[in-house]
Each structure stands twice: as structure tokens, then as C-alpha cells.
Amino acid sequence: MLVLLPPSEGKASSGRGAPLKPESLSLPGLGAAREAVLDELVELCAADEDKAREVLGLSEGLRGEVAKNTELRTAGARPAGEIYTGVLYDALDLASLDAAAKRRAARSLLVFSGLWGAVRVTDRIPSYRCSMGVKLPGLGALGAYWRAPMASVLPEAAGHGLVLDLRSAAYAAPWKPKGEVAGRTASVRVLHAPTRKVVSHFNKATKGRIVRSLLTAGIDPAGPAELVEALRDLGYVVEEKAPAKAKAGAAAWTLDVLVDEVH
């Protein structure tokens, strides 16, 4: 199983660990693209703070994020699973998983990023600010920039099992599973049952809980149908939308998880 996650806007501090080693990151086929984004981001933030803040879409109160980006090559690095924070990652709570579940997380979780493209939760990265929606002056819109590198790398990373896509729209743009991979992909959205609307807190927290439940139980569904069964066994209310027969095996499933409240 491969689980595709969005990053968090807010991030923990880098800490005092050893600095970034780009060559050590997973998915080495993304290495050249990562270096290009990293170089431009650092140069932009070091050259003109006001322009960098405008490009990154940061308010005056977040001016310090620009300075942080200038030190990406020298700042301490920590596992990505510790850097990313927020509602989804609080619910996932990687730190409290038992040893077996942590090993499953290391193999299964892939976090998409405007700066790194995608990283494993065990990859050591510094804290940064650069969303997928950013348009860098030289490289252009990052959502489009990452499509070519990811098209050559992600199909292999997807392996042969379920691809569970929990990304937000912006982070889904760089890579959309196609062909045989799409046929074993399930995209999940979480709806507030009384209103049948997507509510941000419910959506993020429930996605974190779903991933935690699967990791803790050691469940590794072979495909979307098996995922639906597993989620129902875990107590979730799921409505599935399988692709039409003409598209079966070449289109992703859509799963709606209905929740009344988040515990």
C-alpha cells in the first residue's frame, strides 16, 4: 500500500540536527528537480525579502519564514514525519505508533511537497515554507513543474498494491495515477454526514485517523474494494463509487467517508 498525503502549511522547527543531505532523500529520480527548486527558493529569499514574501503568499506576520528559507542548506534536518504538523498529522500521531506500525508508515507514507516533490516520513528535511501553489519566477508554477519528474518516478514507487490518495487538490495536481495504477487507486474525501459537505477539520482529522487505523491494525488492502471492506470493519461509514465497467482498471475509485463528529 502506498498512501499519498499532503504536507502541512505549518511546520515544526528544524532543530539542531545535521543539515540536509539531498542525495539521501527517497525517490532519487526527483533529485535534479529538487535541487533546482531549492536553489531558486534560497536565492529568491536571500535576494529580496519583500518579493519572496509576495511570491510565497506570506503575510507580514510570516516574514520570518522568508529568512528561514535562506538557511535551508545549513539548518538542522529532522524526519519529515516530525516536521509536518497540523490536524491530519496530529490525528495520525506517528510518534505514538508501536514499532511495527512505524515500520509500515516508513514504507507506505509519501508526503507531497512544493519544495521536495515527495518525501517519505523518514526522510530528514529542514523546516521550510513553499507550497505547491507557488509560482517561482524562474521555474514557474510548481504544480506544473513537478509533473514531468513525477511521471517518471511515481509509477514505480506505487508498487503493485493499493494507492490510497488523501491529497488535497493542489497536491494532487503534479501526479495523477494513470492506467493500471489508476485502477488500484482510491481517492478519499470525508463528508460531514448531516450536511454531506467537506468540512476542513473533519476532513483532515479523519484522514489522519484512517491512516493510523490501517497502520495500527496492520491492514494492507490489495485494492480499493478490499479497502472499503477494511474501513467498514474498522467502523467507518463508507460509500464507494467504482469506475464504470468501460473504465475499470484504468480509473480510480472514489470513496466518501461519512462522519458526524471527530473524537
Side-chain angles (χ1 to χ4, degrees), residues 6-258:
S8 59
E9 193 70 17
K11 299 172 183 69
S13 63
S14 294
R16 298 183 179 180
L20 171 72
K21 294 182 179 179
E23 69 279 3
S24 72
L25 298 179
S26 302
L27 308 179
L30 299 178
R34 287 172 177 147
E35 287 286 356
V37 178
L38 182 60
D39 284 345
E40 182 169 354
L41 182 62
V42 171
E43 183 178 348
L44 170 69
C45 292
D48 188 330
E49 185 177 271
D50 289 329
K51 181 179 179 180
R53 190 162 58 84
E54 180 182 353
V55 168
L56 297 175
L58 301 177
S59 66
E60 175 66 32
L62 293 174
R63 184 177 288 272
E65 299 292 288
V66 176
K68 183 168 67 176
N69 279 348
T70 66
E71 301 174 350
L72 288 173
R73 290 193 180 276
T74 57
R78 297 166 60 185
E82 297 178 12
I83 290 290
Y84 294 117
T85 60
V87 175
L88 187 155
Y89 290 91
D90 285 347
L92 174 54
D93 195 9
L94 288 168
S96 69
L97 293 174
D98 63 32
K102 285 180 178 177
R103 289 193 294 271
R104 296 183 196 110
R107 293 193 303 266
S108 302
L109 307 187
L110 197 62
V111 185
F112 279 63
S113 162
L115 174 53
W116 315 112
V119 292
R120 303 282 185 184
V121 292
T122 51
D123 285 333
R124 298 180 62 84
I125 59 173
S127 184
Y128 68 96
R129 183 62 73 106
C130 183
S131 73
M132 193 65 79
V134 164
K135 183 176 182 180
L136 292 175
L139 297 177
L142 292 177
Y145 170 79
W146 281 110
R147 284 177 193 152
M150 289 194 178
S152 65
V153 172
L154 267 293
E156 181 179 353
H160 301 286
L162 171 73
V163 177
L164 175 54
D165 192 350
L166 302 179
R167 298 172 295 170
S168 55
Y171 288 92
W175 184 65
K176 297 181 179 180
K178 297 179 180 180
E180 180 271 334
V181 178
R184 49 187 169 85
T185 296
S187 178
V188 174
R189 65 176 184 169
V190 178
L191 303 181
H192 182 220
T195 63
R196 298 193 71 82
K197 293 181 179 179
V198 176
V199 179
S200 180
H201 178 79
F202 285 81
N203 182 51
K204 294 176 181 178
T206 303
K207 285 179 177 178
R209 290 175 60 204
I210 285 172
V211 176
R212 182 179 179 87
S213 296
L214 293 171
L215 294 173
T216 301
I219 298 172
D220 190 4
E226 292 82 1
L227 173 65
V228 171
E229 183 178 348
L231 291 178
R232 287 173 177 162
D233 287 344
L234 289 167
Y236 293 96
V237 178
V238 183
E239 295 178 354
E240 72 268 36
K241 297 177 183 177
K245 288 185 178 180
K247 296 182 178 179
W253 288 45
T254 300
L255 308 185
D256 286 343
V257 176
L258 307 180

